[in-house]
Amino acid sequence: MSTERNDIWKLAEAYLNGKLSGADINELDNRRLSDPEFASEFQDSINLLSAIKSSAEQKQVRTELKAANIELKQESGKGIKGKVVSLMHNHWRTATIAAAIALLTSLTTFWMVQHNNNKIASQYSLLKRDIEKYKRSQNKIIKDIKEQNAGPASSARYSGTGFALSNNGYLVTNYHVIEGADSIYIQSKDGAYHKAHTISFNAAEDVVILKVETDNFKFSNTTDIPYSIASDKKKLGTHVYTLGFPQDEIVYNEGYISSKNGYSGDSTQYRLEITAGPGQSGAPVLDSRGNIIGIITGKETEGEAVTFAVSSTSIIELLNNLPQENKFRLPTSGRLGRMSREHQIEQLEQFTCSIKVYKQ
Amino acid sequence: MQNDLHKEIELLQQLSDGDSAAIKSIYKQHYKSIVGWILKNGGDEQDAADICQEAVVILYEKSKNEDFRLTCKVNTYLYAVTKNLWYKRSQQERPVYSGSDDELEETIVSNYEEDINAHKERELYYDQLESALEQLGQPCSSLLRSFYYDNKSMQDIAAEHGYTNADNAKTQKYKCLSRLKKLFYGTKVK
């Protein structure tokens, strides 16, 4: 076993140092294809080695910078004013540098969700997703600066999904998605960002109601919310589907209620047999008639398709406890029930949004 | 002009290679150009040194990126990053962007935030690596540090750690890496 481990490291080192022959690389590629366990071990090894390497290089740069600072102090101490050669006059329109190491680019994939909610055992992973850093080419036309200002300012961190409770900007998502947030933005179907704030939450049941701050905001200008919020728990075996944002485009998944209680028998939840990925926390779960029956909240790390959803009754309870001035009517439309699934999704898309949370 | 451009491409190439002279020259020039601004904005020379270091590290990381293209003057870029780092650090509001007719300036404004965020994530990642190395304990921790951070040869490491030869030290290194891997990936929810 341990010699086999060593072989992986030897192979990974040779791979990173470009010491593998064409035939070796072919063999490696075939093994990665046929043996997923090996492939993932190997990938982890390569990632770790390149992380160590780049961190060592950065340390070296910092050492040099500290030395430069000391030199600078000595120079000015002697009263020798070094001639400042300004770089201002140099033009940088199209200077391109290709660096040798491409491995750092995969860094973002390491960013798994970290949370410290003690209530939730380690087997249970929340589906909040770290926002991928886009490597935007600087040649690309940059969006209007005003738009830039209107958008989130810094430290993009997590994303989840949310859905409308009223057309004028009340929406619901998981509490863990916005927990500890400096600022919360929703990204509506047209791509625009809107700032939102918390109206009320129940941390134990993992629900939060948010309100979009933009004046005259509407999820849809053409139609009202087409679904209703189920006020009782649905039966075992009910077919369900969900729409969420595990990526930047909305994704559809379907499955069924596999248990009326959720994780560790939690009666405020359902256990679902449905695939859900990071970023889908807060996504609506609907039955075939277009009733919202729950909110995706997490999944078991062991089983791929075992997902948990907060029951819609938690939303209703949260709303009932709102102070009078904040109360609003929950949607009660049954319009979706008469539509084909494709048509339902089309309608739903307008009321489902990605939620971006920024933390310092 | 063409000559200047080539000089700077060369300088950045050297920076990405970790060349000592290039790193120092960029740092010194930049420090001199921003220290006054930091002092004016409520910082001291130590702040200027810290922020300047961070800005150059960000430029360094950018220069390592294979897609790296800097479409503005390097000085302007550093200046924008520095200011932003300082506003963040001193908890000041960034002044409302007053608009500029310089297209290049706008390009920078919209890009450096991403660079800073990427930088922060990377630092966090390196911190995690560092804490995994801490947890690893001895002799693994110092063996790996000697090899990767201090660039010592396997012979020297074998001698220092009392292994009979370089091959034994190497075997030990692989074992340590396997343990490090467990610690490192074990810290994250998968």
Side-chain angles (χ1 to χ4, degrees):
Chain A
M1 186 63 206
S2 85
T3 41
E4 204 178 295
R5 279 250 170 80
N6 291 352
D7 285 347
I8 268 205
W9 291 113
K10 277 181 197 160
L11 197 59
E13 276 179 345
Y15 178 83
L16 286 174
N17 295 332
K19 293 217 171 107
L20 291 183
S21 69
D24 289 341
I25 290 176
N26 275 342
E27 197 189 315
L28 177 65
D29 286 344
N30 285 336
R31 195 166 162 203
R32 287 166 97 169
L33 282 174
S34 63
D35 183 352
E37 202 178 320
F38 167 79
S40 116
E41 280 264 303
F42 186 72
Q43 191 59 45
D44 282 354
S45 302
I46 284 184
N47 286 345
L48 183 64
L49 285 175
S50 38
I52 296 173
K53 183 164 186 267
S54 55
S55 127
E57 286 166 352
Q58 206 215 56
K59 268 190 209 299
Q60 188 58 37
V61 169
R62 286 191 185 272
T63 309
E64 298 287 355
L65 288 170
K66 283 190 188 113
N69 188 259
I70 291 166
E71 283 175 22
L72 207 54
K73 277 184 189 150
Q74 285 165 349
E75 284 165 23
S76 66
K78 285 180 199 147
I80 301 163
K81 286 259 184 273
K83 189 181 167 229
V84 182
V85 184
S86 172
L87 299 173
M88 279 302 251
H89 303 296
N90 300 331
H91 288 250
W92 270 95
R93 207 161 263 278
T94 51
T96 311
I97 290 178
I101 297 153
L103 285 150
L104 260 185
T105 55
S106 63
L107 252 186
T108 48
T109 58
F110 297 123
W111 296 105
M112 304 309 279
V113 179
Q114 287 197 312
H115 59 86
N116 44 16
N117 192 341
N118 297 328
K119 190 181 82 98
I120 294 159
S122 60
Q123 275 215 331
Y124 183 56
S125 76
L126 302 171
L127 300 177
K128 191 163 57 171
R129 175 181 74 118
D130 281 3
I131 292 179
E132 298 266 332
K133 288 275 164 277
Y134 310 116
K135 283 231 239 68
R136 202 199 294 173
S137 154
Q138 300 200 358
N139 281 353
K140 206 168 137 190
I141 296 158
I142 302 307
K143 279 190 194 157
D144 184 355
I145 197 75
K146 282 180 224 127
E147 208 181 312
Q148 184 73 25
N149 280 346
S154 64
S155 318
R157 281 319 242 223
Y158 298 110
S159 79
T161 304
F163 59 94
L165 290 182
S166 75
N167 198 13
N168 67 355
Y170 283 96
L171 69 146
V172 64
T173 185
N174 287 139
Y175 176 72
H176 78 255
V177 169
I178 60 102
E179 187 178 19
D182 275 336
S183 50
I184 306 164
Y185 287 83
I186 70 147
Q187 193 173 21
S188 51
K189 194 168 179 280
D190 58 8
Y193 283 109
H194 299 278
K195 204 165 190 314
H197 64 269
T198 304
I199 296 290
S200 181
F201 63 85
N202 182 335
E205 294 182 12
D206 205 13
V207 202
V208 61
I209 294 178
L210 306 172
K211 173 83 168 59
V212 175
E213 292 180 9
T214 310
D215 288 340
N216 302 322
F217 174 86
K218 278 195 163 34
F219 280 98
S220 166
N221 288 320
T222 51
T223 170
D224 211 326
I225 295 182
Y227 45 75
S228 55
I229 312 288
S231 57
D232 53 359
K233 279 191 98 175
K234 294 292 165 190
K235 292 204 167 68
L236 196 61
T238 303
H239 281 268
V240 296
Y241 68 95
T242 182
L243 280 177
F245 290 91
Q247 55 191 55
D248 286 291
E249 260 185 64
I250 198 158
V251 168
Y252 168 84
N253 288 109
E254 56 183 18
Y256 54 88
I257 298 178
S258 57
S259 167
K260 271 193 87 171
N261 290 331
Y263 190 67
S264 306
D266 188 339
S267 66
T268 64
Q269 294 188 341
Y270 291 105
R271 177 192 157 118
L272 307 176
E273 207 66 26
I274 197 168
T275 2
Q280 265 169 285
S281 265
V285 181
L286 294 97
D287 66 15
S288 51
R289 304 172 62 86
N291 299 306
I292 302 267
I293 66 135
I295 310 167
I296 296 277
T297 179
K299 68 170 180 178
E300 227 173 37
T301 44
E302 305 300 298
E304 203 35 54
V306 176
T307 302
F308 298 101
V310 183
S311 163
S312 57
T313 51
S314 294
I315 307 174
I316 293 175
E317 201 185 304
L318 189 57
L319 191 83
N320 287 341
N321 291 332
L322 281 181
Q324 202 56 41
E325 70 270 17
N326 278 339
K327 278 220 165 89
F328 57 93
R329 282 168 55 94
L330 282 176
T332 52
S333 168
R335 227 165 63 234
L336 286 184
R338 297 187 294 274
M339 299 174 190
S340 69
R341 183 61 55 88
E342 295 88 326
H343 203 165
Q344 288 185 353
I345 293 166
E346 222 170 63
Q347 289 278 309
L348 266 173
E349 268 190 77
Q350 304 180 57
F351 298 98
T352 311
C353 59
S354 169
I355 295 183
K356 317 268 182 197
V357 173
Y358 299 81
K359 301 180 184 179
Q360 278 301 318
Chain B
M1 193 86 84
Q2 197 60 18
N3 200 18
D4 284 347
L5 175 66
H6 282 146
K7 259 192 217 153
E8 285 218 338
I9 294 176
E10 214 179 300
L11 192 65
L12 279 189
Q13 179 70 67
Q14 287 161 349
L15 174 67
S16 74
D17 291 341
D19 178 86
S20 168
I23 294 169
K24 286 179 175 169
S25 126
I26 291 173
Y27 177 88
K28 287 179 186 174
Q29 285 191 24
H30 184 54
Y31 181 85
K32 286 170 185 164
S33 74
I34 60 118
V35 63
W37 186 86
I38 296 277
L39 293 178
K40 245 194 310 194
N41 283 275
D44 56 23
E45 285 182 11
Q46 188 54 47
D47 292 325
D50 291 350
I51 296 274
C52 185
Q53 181 180 133
E54 237 31 55
V56 177
V57 168
I58 290 171
L59 180 70
Y60 162 76
E61 283 161 358
K62 218 172 154 54
S63 75
K64 301 269 308 174
N65 187 325
E66 59 171 3
D67 299 334
F68 179 52
R69 265 154 203 265
L70 198 54
T71 50
C72 64
K73 302 151 200 156
V74 73
N75 199 25
T76 315
Y77 176 83
L78 281 173
Y79 207 68
V81 169
T82 299
K83 277 185 173 174
N84 190 274
L85 286 171
W86 179 245
Y87 287 134
K88 281 209 168 94
R89 176 156 157 173
S90 58
Q91 298 286 309
Q92 285 181 43
E93 280 297 303
R94 197 170 161 268
V96 176
Y97 188 69
S98 53
S100 162
D101 35 44
D102 189 340
E103 181 199 331
L104 294 177
E105 286 269 354
E106 290 191 8
T107 309
I108 301 155
V109 169
S110 49
N111 276 296
Y112 69 96
E113 290 258 11
E114 285 177 19
D115 296 343
I116 289 173
N117 289 336
H119 170 71
K120 273 195 196 157
E121 290 200 347
R122 187 166 285 139
E123 291 301 295
L124 194 66
Y125 183 58
Y126 289 159
D127 284 350
Q128 284 173 352
L129 180 62
E130 194 57 39
S131 80
L133 269 169
E134 271 322 303
Q135 286 174 47
L136 199 54
Q138 297 304 352
C140 272
S141 169
S142 67
L143 192 155
L144 293 181
R145 282 183 212 267
S146 304
F147 183 75
Y148 290 106
Y149 293 161
D150 305 332
N151 290 319
K152 285 189 185 159
S153 73
M154 273 338 260
Q155 277 88 348
D156 290 349
I157 292 172
E160 271 172 34
H161 288 79
Y163 298 110
T164 44
N165 57 45
D167 273 346
N168 281 347
K170 224 172 179 176
T171 309
Q172 187 59 36
K173 186 188 84 179
Y174 292 136
K175 281 187 188 155
C176 293
L177 281 172
S178 293
R179 286 186 46 209
L180 180 67
K181 193 169 92 174
K182 264 198 195 140
L183 283 168
F184 187 59
Y185 292 104
T187 57
K188 300 181 182 66
V189 178
K190 281 225 168 184

